Amino acid sequence: MAIEEQIKAVEDEIQKTPYNKATQHHIGKLKAKLARLKDEQETRRLKSGGGGPSYAVKKSGNATIGLVGFPSVGKSTLLNQITDATSAVAAYDFTTLDVIPGLLEHRGAKIQVLDMPGLIRGASKGRGRGREVLSVARACDLILLMIDVFETHVDVLVDELRLAGIRLNERPADVTLTRGRRGGLTVSPTVRLTKLDEELIADICREWGYLNGTVVVRQDITEDQLIDVLAAIDLVSADYVKQLQAKLPEWRLVPISAEKGVGLTRLKDEVYETLRFMRVFLKPQGKEADMADPLIVKAGSDVGMVCDAIHRDWRGRFRYANVWGLSAQFPGQKVGLDHGLQDSDVLTIVLKKG
């Protein structure tokens, strides 16, 4: 059966199955299968060329953010203002025909910014190279929706992104999956689960190819949240901005003029804060800490995550670490891999020889 037919069959079965406690397990597995099939369909389409241009962008830096908006809202101008990139700028639609990357350096973080062709209604169905643009957006750590301050059709952008499986203003569920070679799949919740049971979590993960290993669940998740983890302005008056904020209360608005360079510092700060970065200053054993060039990691990282960020072998060679800062009970405290760090901590990592 062709993949399109499989998708239609699963969608039909979900539609005809009433949702209740008795059918929750069955529908959860169907949703996982449907998401996997659509992901496979998209992968095949992109590999085959999809009948149009595709955009392959290698991720770099500490995080990647995508500029998403309608044509001609100033994405290219903003990119040129806040990064080292040069993207074509003109006062007509679809000036940007490719994805243009640039590098934003702010507060020690190196952030890749992608200027993408404008989206239009129907983008998720392929209009205006929409599928290609959305496939790039899906891989970003943060989406910046750019709108003309007088044309605020945010709902159209949100609808197209959601149809493409991109969830806005929602953090990924706190679920960690570790593959194993044998022994089956073990689900280890650290909180009381009220929406899914451990058996359904395991079945959904198996549908995505996780047959052996461990699933650590630190949040009371729904099946959709688990599937999402598996799958991954010109200046106006202050009064007008307040009216606009009231009109769009669920969004954090950052008024800017990319052309005039106004509001860009605040925008950079908002990006940095939203990405939830924190700085860790490394101190080689017996030497002074490098306070000029911090290691940028995600907020909530522990010592083991810092080891992983530095070198893939460091976790296996780890002996102990010393930490100074807010997370330490006293200066130079000796800690292990699971010690949680805080912003601006100073860290010495001691490794086994060899």
Side-chain angles (χ1 to χ4, degrees), residues 67-345:
L67 303 182
V68 173
F70 298 112
S72 296
V73 294
K75 298 186 297 296
S76 298
T77 302
L78 177 61
L79 183 82
N80 295 341
Q81 286 278 19
I82 65 173
T83 76
D84 58 359
T86 302
S87 184
V89 176
Y92 52 85
D93 291 354
F94 294 112
T95 305
T96 303
L97 299 179
D98 295 303
V99 175
I100 309 296
L103 183 66
L104 163 64
E105 297 192 42
H106 188 60
R107 292 163 62 179
K110 293 179 172 60
I111 303 168
Q112 183 183 45
V113 184
L114 304 180
D115 174 20
M116 295 182 280
L119 288 184
I120 59 176
R121 190 184 295 274
S124 59
K125 297 179 173 61
R127 290 191 63 200
R129 302 180 300 280
R131 286 196 178 122
E132 288 77 10
V133 175
L134 291 168
S135 70
V136 176
R138 192 178 297 114
C140 293
D141 301 293
L142 175 70
I143 298 295
L144 284 184
L145 296 183
M146 283 197 67
I147 57 173
D148 185 317
V149 73
F150 298 112
E151 299 289 344
T152 58
H153 301 300
V154 181
D155 55 325
V156 176
L157 297 175
V158 173
D159 288 346
E160 295 302 330
L161 291 166
R162 180 163 283 275
L163 287 170
I166 300 172
R167 307 290 184 254
L168 299 179
N169 295 338
E170 299 176 20
R171 295 203 179 278
D174 195 350
V175 179
T176 302
L177 297 100
T178 305
R179 290 187 186 272
R181 295 186 178 181
R182 59 180 67 87
L185 196 63
T186 301
V187 178
S188 301
T190 63
V191 297
R192 180 170 172 266
L193 300 176
T194 64
K195 301 163 186 172
L196 300 178
D197 57 36
E198 295 179 22
E199 183 182 359
L200 179 52
I201 290 173
D203 280 345
I204 290 175
C205 291
R206 290 188 190 103
E207 181 64 46
W208 279 81
Y210 286 87
L211 304 180
N212 299 287
T214 304
V215 185
V216 180
V217 183
R218 301 184 182 88
Q219 181 181 336
D220 187 18
I221 56 173
T222 65
E223 62 257 39
D224 290 333
Q225 288 177 308
L226 177 57
I227 291 168
D228 283 344
V229 170
L230 293 164
I233 58 198
D234 287 332
L235 290 180
V236 293
S237 69
D239 287 341
Y240 186 87
V241 173
K242 289 180 181 178
Q243 294 172 25
L244 190 57
Q245 184 67 76
K247 179 181 176 182
L248 304 169
E250 70 277 22
W251 297 96
R252 186 189 310 175
L253 298 186
V254 185
I256 65 167
S257 171
E259 183 177 358
K260 298 177 182 177
V262 177
L264 302 186
T265 298
R266 181 190 165 193
L267 176 64
K268 294 175 185 178
D269 286 336
E270 292 280 1
V271 166
Y272 185 96
E273 298 295 339
T274 304
L275 287 167
R276 299 178 67 238
F277 285 139
M278 72 177 187
R279 298 161 296 170
V280 175
F281 297 94
L282 299 179
K283 180 182 182 301
Q285 199 171 16
K287 299 181 180 179
E288 293 297 318
D290 182 0
M291 303 303 292
D293 189 18
L295 179 69
I296 304 296
V297 294
K298 292 292 186 182
S301 292
D302 57 26
V303 173
M305 294 174 184
V306 170
C307 289
D308 294 338
I310 296 172
H311 195 283
R312 63 184 180 184
D313 296 334
W314 276 33
R315 184 183 285 268
R317 295 175 54 203
F318 180 85
R319 286 180 60 199
Y320 65 89
N322 298 104
V323 63
W324 295 258
L326 293 174
S327 75
Q329 295 180 3
F330 52 86
Q333 179 186 357
K334 188 175 180 178
V335 298
L337 286 168
D338 59 353
H339 176 81
L341 298 167
Q342 294 195 40
D343 185 50
S344 297
D345 276 355

